[in-house]
Every structure is written in C-alpha cells, then in structure tokens.
Amino acid sequence: MTDPTFEIRMQVMWNRLISVVEEQAMTLLRTAFSTSVREAGDLSAGVFDPAGRMLAQAVTGTPGHVNTMAEAVLHFIAEIGRDSMFPGDTYVTNDPWKGTGHLHDITMVSPSFKGDRLVGFFACTAHVVDVGGRGFGADGKSVYEEGIQIPIMKFAERGQVNADLIRILRANVREANQVVGDFYSLAACNDVGHQRLTQMMEEIGLETLDALGAFIFSRTRAATLDRIAALPRGAWANELLTDGYDSPVKLACAVAIGEGSVNVDFTGTDGMSKHGINVPIIYTKAYACYALKCVVAPDIPNNWASLEAFTISSPVNILNAERPAPVSVRHVIGHLVPDLVLGALAKALPGQVLAEGAAALWNIHMSVRPVAGAPGRRAEILMFNSGGMGARPGADGLSATAFPSGVMTMPIEATEQTGPVVVWRKELRPDSGGDGQYRGGLGQVIEIEPLPGHEFDFSAMFDRINHPAKGRDGGMPGAAGKAALDDGTVLKPKGWQHVPAGRRLVLDLPGGGGFGDPSRRDPAERANDLAKGYVTETVK
C-alpha cells in the first residue's frame, strides 16, 4: 500500500521541479536578443536525469523544440562523454540531425552537479536571427549553403567560455551582436536552472533526483498506458498534399494502435526535395508525437515516460531527410505533420478530432537595406505570423493562432523597432474560416512596406496557398492563402523575393477548416459572426 505522505511529498517536489524549469525559461525570455525568442517565445527549456531522460519541461516553448530536445540530450551525453563533463560546463550545437532540425536553432545542454555528483542536465533551445550562409530560406541546395554548422562541442568548460567559438561566430553571421548575445542568454538560462535546482535539493534534503524521477516516470507511464488501452486497436492511413517548393508534395502516414504503444509510419511520403523544405526525422518525430498526445493524453505531463509509448518509423523521404539535404525551412512541412497524423486518428476516433488548420507558420525573414545612394540602415527582421486553426468538435477554431507550433504573436511595434519597415495592416481576414456547425479559425491580412528610401528582400515560407485546410465531418475548407505585392503581382509561396521601395507586401493568411454540417450551425452564432465582421454575408 502506497504511503500517502510519500505521495504528497513527491507531488510537491514534482511541482517544485516544474517551477524550476519555468524560471529557467523565463530567464531566456527576459535576456534574449532576438525578437523571435523574446516576443514570440520560440524556445524550450527542460530538466533531465543523469541518463538524459526528460523529467520536466517548461510550459513556455514549442513542440518542435521541446520534443527534439528530449532526444538531443542523449546525443550530447554520447559525444561529450561523462569523463569530460565538469561543473561549470555548457555544451552547444545547431546540428539539424542531433538538435532541432535546422541550423537556426541553437541547443545548449549543461550538466548539473551537486558537489562532485552529477544529478542531472538542463537543456534549452532558441531560434537565432541569423546563422550566415544564404539566410533563413528554402533556396539552398545542401545544408552546407544554409549557414555555419556547430558540431556538439563545449561552449564553456569549468565556467570559461570558448573564445575561439565566439570569434568564429562573429565572422560568419550578419547580426553578430544579436547572435552572440543569444548564446550567452541560452547559457544563462541553464545556469539559472542549475542554481534553482541545487537550492531546492538543499532545502528538501535531496542528494539525487533518483526517487523523484522514478515517481514521475512511473505515474506518467501508467497514466499514458491507461489512455492507450482505451483506444480502438488497428491501423488507419491518411494522405495530405502540400504546396512544396515549386510542385506539390504528398505526405502519407499510417497510425497503428497496439497494446501499450502507438506507432506512426511515414511510408508513402514523397522523396527528399532539392530545396530546403526537407525535415530531419528528429523534427518529424517531435510533431508526430505532439499530435498523438493532443488526442490521446493532452493532460498528462510531457516527459520521457509519456513520449516513450509513441514510436515513429519512416524510410528515407522528405520527412526523414538524410545529411546533407537542405533543411532550413523544415518547419513548413514539419508543421503539417500533425494535420496528417490527426487525419488518420480521426478515422479511428470519428467525431473527436479537430479539422485541418493553416498549420505552418507564415514566417517572413526580411533583409532590409537603403536603395542605392540613399541614406538609411540595414537590418535582418524575422516576423512570425499565424493563420486560423481548424474547428474543433464542439467549438469554433481559434483565429490567427499558431497551432501546432504554439509560438506567440509578435507585436507590430517590436517588428518595426527592429528595422526600417512599417506594418500598415495586421487584422483578421473575413470569410477565411471554413463554414460548418463549428466555424474554422480566421487567418490574417498583413501589409508590410519598407520605410521611404529602403527596399527589402524577403524569404517566403508559406503553405496552404494551393492546398487549403480541409474541413472535417462535413465542414467546409478554409480559405487558401495568398502572397502578392499591392500592385497585384503574385508571389511564390517559398523562396527569396524582392519588395521594391514604395511597394507593399500583402499577405492573406489561410483559414482553418470547418467541423460538421454547416446547416447545423446555431443561427445566433451566424448572426454573431456577421456582426463582428468574421463573415461578410449570411450563408443561405
């Protein structure tokens, strides 16, 4: 019989551990130089046991960072080696296949020692504004063109920062102060986590995290297995077409629910692309597991034990791209993986899974400069934008919401402060949510212009222009996206393109699909949509 005092004590310590990683993440948010981290929360933070198994993650963070980080720490342990780890160390990489899928994400791991005893690891990731190379875009033909590659190595040893690494970084990136500042911010993030953990252990009287880890894993594993046991047994398949770079790309999966496990296999997906839209399997796993957890166990803490029950398999293809494939814009295809997996789950659990949504973020990386001979300044600006979520069983989809990535909206003021651009419009896009008993979430309309005397090149990283989000259970599709100049010039969904001085970039972001038969929508909800301008005419 379980001692209730022990249960209560362990639960309190588990909550304390979560507060430790929350403070770890807040340190990164408060000290980061890049707006993508500071304003949008494009980061993750977590604590791991000495074997590299994730004990707890911060609530702040994206599945693409958190779930890849859960695997990445094992790579760090294998490559650094326990005998080469010392108090005050911090390790770093941006290896797409051992980190988070592309070079722009920096992963840092720090061992946490209590005296001479290794008690765990802290890890964090963040997207930096520049890593050199071609810049953040899909035009590279190999990973070697996409920027500086940092193998797993020491950023600091016994508290001494690797000055040579800093010099190499400064020589290879466009925004050296921002990037180097973010490296120090990441290191500080882990350092704060270590300090708070050792304080907690001293206060409680813990020498190791072994007992607490066993408690966390046993409770989480049991809860996850209970949820899987309640699912139907069998296998269900789904396919999804994406815009690709210059031609459509087919994604395919089969979800197999067995005794105590769920496997997702991506056989049938199109092969690797020659453009930078390929996805390393570590990132595909992250979002496939996230989709499964959203349906199977949304309220169970995300840690090693809850992820262990979900397995991913795939032959080499665009969702399991091998080095040296270009992967800079891996998030666009990667963010569509949940819609792909959820489509299969919807066949196993009819009426219980939300409709497709915009999925991929409509990120814009702008390289702004003065026109020839004019005064002004240069800047690299990264802006995150979100379309509409799919409608849910029992509720409308959320508008302009980043699902599945979970990043926050970047304020216009932060974008305009970063460089010489003005955002003239950023508003909900009427009629973009798919009709249904429950309406899909709305996209946005965004207009951006370089300040007088300036022009910019921008990297388009868009999807759902040629393949809008589908509705579910009789719901209608969401509106397709569109990218154009204000003179009507139609732009490509991906690749570097130009906005001349005096012109505006106009983005119509896609909406989410509807859920259920439109004839069953509550008339009061239709009237509310019309009154608020979400739709411009009533549906007959």
Side-chain angles (χ1 to χ4, degrees):
M1 184 174 180
T2 305
D3 180 0
T5 304
F6 172 80
E7 291 270 350
I8 294 170
R9 185 168 184 267
M10 286 294 158
Q11 188 62 56
V12 169
M13 288 194 291
W14 191 352
N15 291 340
R16 280 288 299 273
L17 196 62
I18 292 171
S19 72
V20 166
V21 292
E22 280 299 308
E23 187 167 353
Q24 177 196 2
M26 290 306 299
T27 300
L28 187 52
L29 275 173
R30 290 168 178 156
T31 62
F33 282 58
S34 296
T35 52
S36 57
V37 182
R38 190 176 64 249
E39 303 292 346
D42 193 14
L43 60 90
S44 68
V47 61
F48 298 71
D49 72 5
R53 299 175 298 183
M54 187 166 69
L55 291 164
Q57 65 156 93
V59 174
T60 302
T62 76
H65 282 164
V66 170
N67 289 349
T68 52
M69 186 178 69
E71 183 175 332
V73 172
L74 299 173
H75 293 300
F76 278 86
I77 293 172
E79 296 212 14
I80 298 295
R82 174 64 184 87
D83 293 341
S84 298
M85 295 178 177
F86 312 106
D89 279 6
T90 298
Y91 318 123
V92 66
T93 194
N94 69 342
D95 185 324
W97 287 268
K98 296 180 179 179
T100 68
H102 70 173
L103 298 177
H104 275 79
D105 285 342
I106 307 302
T107 301
M108 282 201 180
V109 175
S110 304
S112 185
F113 286 85
K114 188 173 186 292
D116 294 329
R117 184 198 296 268
L118 177 68
V119 295
F121 293 92
F122 282 91
C124 57
T125 63
H127 183 109
V128 298
V129 68
D130 184 59
V131 289
R134 281 179 172 265
F136 191 19
D139 295 317
K141 298 300 186 291
S142 78
V143 71
Y144 302 112
E145 298 178 38
E146 294 181 329
I148 185 172
Q149 297 186 59
I150 305 169
I152 291 176
M153 62 186 298
K154 292 194 175 186
F155 174 73
E157 182 171 87
R158 303 179 195 268
Q160 187 67 39
V161 171
N162 185 339
D164 290 335
L165 174 58
I166 299 298
R167 291 176 61 207
I168 292 170
L169 278 174
R170 287 191 173 278
N172 279 276
V173 303
R174 299 169 182 85
E175 296 285 348
N177 289 338
Q178 281 194 56
V179 173
V180 171
D182 281 337
F183 270 61
Y184 278 98
S185 177
L186 285 157
C189 166
N190 284 350
D191 190 49
V192 166
H194 162 70
Q195 292 174 20
R196 296 297 178 266
L197 177 64
T198 52
Q199 288 172 7
M200 167 189 145
M201 293 177 73
E202 288 288 348
E203 179 183 329
I204 297 173
L206 291 179
E207 290 301 316
T208 73
L209 296 176
D210 294 352
L212 178 56
F215 178 84
I216 291 172
F217 293 150
S218 64
R219 297 307 187 276
T220 305
R221 181 183 293 105
T224 303
L225 292 178
D226 282 347
R227 299 296 176 81
I228 293 174
L231 298 174
R233 297 289 181 269
W236 296 267
N238 189 38
E239 291 186 358
L240 186 153
L241 277 180
T242 78
D243 294 350
Y245 185 92
D246 47 18
S247 61
V249 171
K250 182 184 76 172
L251 307 181
C253 79
V255 175
I257 303 174
E259 189 69 33
S261 68
V262 182
N263 178 259
V264 182
D265 184 81
F266 293 101
T267 299
T269 292
D270 282 350
M272 289 191 295
S273 171
K274 63 182 180 181
H275 301 287
I277 59 174
N278 296 290
V279 190
I281 191 66
I282 193 170
Y283 195 77
T284 299
K285 287 180 181 178
Y287 273 105
C289 289
Y290 177 66
L292 294 174
K293 280 202 93 260
C294 282
V295 173
V296 178
D299 56 342
I300 294 175
N302 195 54
N303 55 47
W304 172 79
S306 61
L307 293 172
E308 186 187 27
F310 305 129
T311 59
I312 310 299
S313 57
S314 178
V316 174
N317 53 36
I318 199 170
L319 292 176
N320 181 17
E322 294 184 325
R323 186 186 292 275
V327 294
S328 181
V329 185
R330 55 74 170 113
H331 66 278
V332 175
I333 300 295
H335 285 174
L336 289 159
V337 165
D339 271 350
L340 175 67
V341 174
L342 290 171
L345 284 173
K347 297 174 183 179
L349 302 167
Q352 300 179 48
V353 178
L354 77 166
E356 292 182 2
L361 289 168
W362 274 46
N363 291 350
I364 319 167
H365 187 113
M366 294 171 278
S367 289
V368 193
R369 60 182 178 272
V371 297
R377 66 187 179 107
R378 293 177 173 267
E380 301 293 321
I381 305 172
L382 179 59
M383 186 180 182
F384 289 1
N385 306 295
S386 307
M389 276 185 66
R392 297 159 289 174
D396 291 345
L398 299 174
S399 299
T401 298
F403 177 84
S405 76
V407 299
M408 295 176 283
T409 295
M410 299 171 73
I412 288 172
E413 294 82 0
T415 299
E416 293 178 335
Q417 180 68 24
T418 305
V421 297
V422 58
V423 181
W424 289 104
R425 294 175 71 195
K426 193 173 190 290
E427 59 191 42
L428 292 179
R429 180 186 174 194
D431 301 318
S432 56
D435 195 15
Q437 182 178 3
Y438 302 102
R439 174 184 44 76
L442 275 59
Q444 303 180 66
V445 180
I446 302 171
E447 288 190 21
I448 308 169
E449 182 182 2
L451 287 182
H454 291 78
E455 59 186 357
F456 66 78
D457 294 326
F458 79 98
S459 173
M461 304 175 235
F462 314 142
D463 214 285
R464 297 289 195 198
I465 286 178
N466 299 313
H467 299 86
K470 296 176 183 177
R472 186 92 67 207
D473 291 2
M476 302 302 291
K482 182 181 178 182
L485 297 181
D486 60 344
D487 63 0
T489 302
V490 176
L491 301 173
K492 299 182 299 181
K494 296 178 182 69
W496 282 93
Q497 295 161 86
H498 183 64
V499 177
R503 290 264 69 91
R504 297 182 185 181
L505 172 64
V506 183
L507 302 177
D508 292 334
L509 275 64
F515 187 98
D517 185 347
S519 67
R520 299 181 62 186
R521 185 160 179 79
D522 186 338
E525 291 296 330
R526 289 203 179 280
N528 184 55
D529 286 345
L530 191 63
K532 291 182 176 178
Y534 295 162
V535 298
T536 55
E537 60 180 34
T538 57
V539 177
K540 302 299 183 183

